[in-house]
Amino acid sequence: MPPLETQAHNPPSSLALMSDPPKPSRLLSLDVFRGLTVALMILVDDIGGLIPAINHSPWNGATLADFVMPFFLFIVGVSLGLTYKKLTCSKLVATKTALLRALKLLIVGLVIQGGFFHGLHDLTYGVNIQSLRLMGTLQRIAIAYLSAALCEIWLVKRNNAATTSSNASPLKKYRYQWVLAFLLATIYVVLLYALYVPDWEYKISSDGFSRSAQAFSVKCGVRGDTSPACNAVGMVDRKILGIQHLYMKPGYRRTMQCSTNSPNSTPPSWCQAPFDPEGLLSSVMAIVTCLIGLHYGHIIVHFKDHNNRILHWVIPAAILAFVGFCLHMIGLPVNKNLYSLSYTCVTAGAAGLLFAGIYVLVDVCGYKRPTWLLEWMGRHSLMLYILAACNILPMFLHGFYWKKPENNILRLIGIRS
């Protein structure tokens, strides 16, 4: 995600948590947190396939890779809380700016994850509009960013006097945002467990979708099912986006049911079906994660004292994580693909605790040199995302050669024989 310009008070290099920040400057801990998330994303993308323990969970549960997306969304929220602490222009102008930024992210996401860069080994690039993937990582971030930005622009009452005060209550001032977050979570849970999911079918061939391809039927006829085949999240995407525009290699293909070691003689019919882990209904809870991050940005604006900031970060984060684990234990599973309520609570709580720890390390204790690389990565996160996570750099290394494709840059530097 692109680093937004965020200004906050920068504490002096001191071990004491009670010192007040002397002057405004960039909040380094936010850049470090963003850079750490980028590094984590690159790590799980590169070696996640070799180490299943850190790869995305096939369905229920959460691994290291499943924290990357919520961390990005949380960071977007924190950044917005600092960016819009004072509106220097009209609400309409601010809205236009937010729309343009979201549109840029959306377009980049469509180009990258929509299928343009797909033929790395064959060096064939292009998009089949009929099977263009409409959703993706950057598209989800664009939706959450725009939603949170509009909330900050239109749902906050600003006075002519100073908008920040240590005596002001962030919960009271931003109560409409919390009401919206609660409503979004309620709507999501109601739709997930109340929508009727009928039987459905899809057609697919080895080279994509076609009218003559083999048809597969999936038996459902249920409500409240959170299995890969019959959940409401997938149904909404199939009805609105169209099954041909969903992600073709969903994680549930790695479940025991769909593997070669399936307990059944043949895998279930839904194993080859597309499913988008960044779909429409699940993006509703992604907005909630962004709004939680927005609250953490408000804490920075309203409290200048380190102790107050850390206290107002750690307590809600611990409560969120605890609630998420409790929900998981009573049958509302932690699930990244569905972006379930328990997953939202657990990952947002983890993000809050990690951010508080980085803040203490970098902005309070002043350990900036050990984290300079992460800080740099955080300031150039979109560039790194495109280069590393979307195969732009590998395509560059494979794409230029002398006379024969085998004589490429990789052989020149001794990586390939």
Side-chain angles (χ1 to χ4, degrees), residues 218-241:
V218 182
K219 300 295 182 181
C220 290
V222 295
R223 298 181 192 272
D225 196 326
T226 57
S227 68
C230 301
N231 61 82
V233 170
M235 183 195 69
V236 170
D237 289 338
R238 291 192 297 270
K239 294 290 185 181
I240 298 178
L241 300 178

Side-chain angles (χ1 to χ4, degrees), residues 1 33 37 67-80 137-145 148 278 282-294 339 343-344 347 351:
M1 55 164 274
F33 188 17
T37 305
F67 286 85
V68 173
M69 171 62 78
F71 282 5
F72 274 133
L73 296 168
F74 179 89
I75 292 167
V76 170
V78 177
S79 301
L80 285 171
T137 301
L138 292 182
Q139 293 94 309
R140 169 167 282 179
I141 291 176
I143 292 171
Y145 163 78
E278 283 86 35
S282 55
S283 292
V284 171
M285 294 306 294
I287 297 173
V288 175
T289 297
C290 200
L291 291 175
I292 294 173
L294 189 60
Y339 215 113
Y343 172 77
T344 303
T347 54

Side-chain angles (χ1 to χ4, degrees), residues 155-232:
L155 296 184
V156 178
K157 184 178 180 181
R158 291 179 171 85
N159 301 320
N160 292 331
T163 59
T164 61
S165 171
S166 58
N167 297 324
S169 170
L171 288 175
K172 182 178 180 181
K173 181 174 181 180
Y174 305 102
R175 59 188 179 276
Y176 297 118
Q177 295 179 358
W178 284 108
V179 170
L180 177 62
F182 178 79
L183 286 176
L184 289 175
T186 302
I187 291 171
Y188 168 82
V189 172
V190 169
L191 293 178
L192 178 64
Y193 289 97
L195 283 179
Y196 176 78
V197 181
D199 298 343
W200 55 283
E201 65 176 26
Y202 65 97
K203 295 180 180 180
I204 192 171
S205 62
S206 59
D207 59 349
F209 289 91
S210 67
R211 294 183 179 180
S212 60
Q214 182 180 0
F216 296 86
S217 297
V218 182
K219 300 295 182 181
C220 290
V222 295
R223 298 181 192 272
D225 196 326
T226 57
S227 68
C230 301
N231 61 82

Side-chain angles (χ1 to χ4, degrees), residues 19-41:
S19 58
D20 290 333
K23 61 180 181 178
S25 79
R26 193 177 181 94
L27 189 68
L28 298 182
S29 54
L30 189 58
D31 287 326
V32 172
F33 188 17
R34 188 187 292 110
L36 179 63
T37 305
V38 172
L40 179 62
M41 176 193 68

Side-chain angles (χ1 to χ4, degrees), residues 42-65:
I42 295 173
L43 173 69
V44 298
D45 283 349
D46 288 346
I47 67 173
L50 302 176
I51 308 177
I54 68 171
N55 198 6
H56 288 290
S57 176
W59 197 246
N60 289 337
T63 64
L64 192 62

Side-chain angles (χ1 to χ4, degrees), residues 320 323-325 327-328 332-335 339-347:
L320 280 170
V323 169
F325 281 116
L327 291 174
H328 181 75
L332 277 70
V334 171
N335 189 299
Y339 215 113
S340 63
L341 178 60
S342 54
Y343 172 77
T344 303
C345 292
V346 168
T347 54

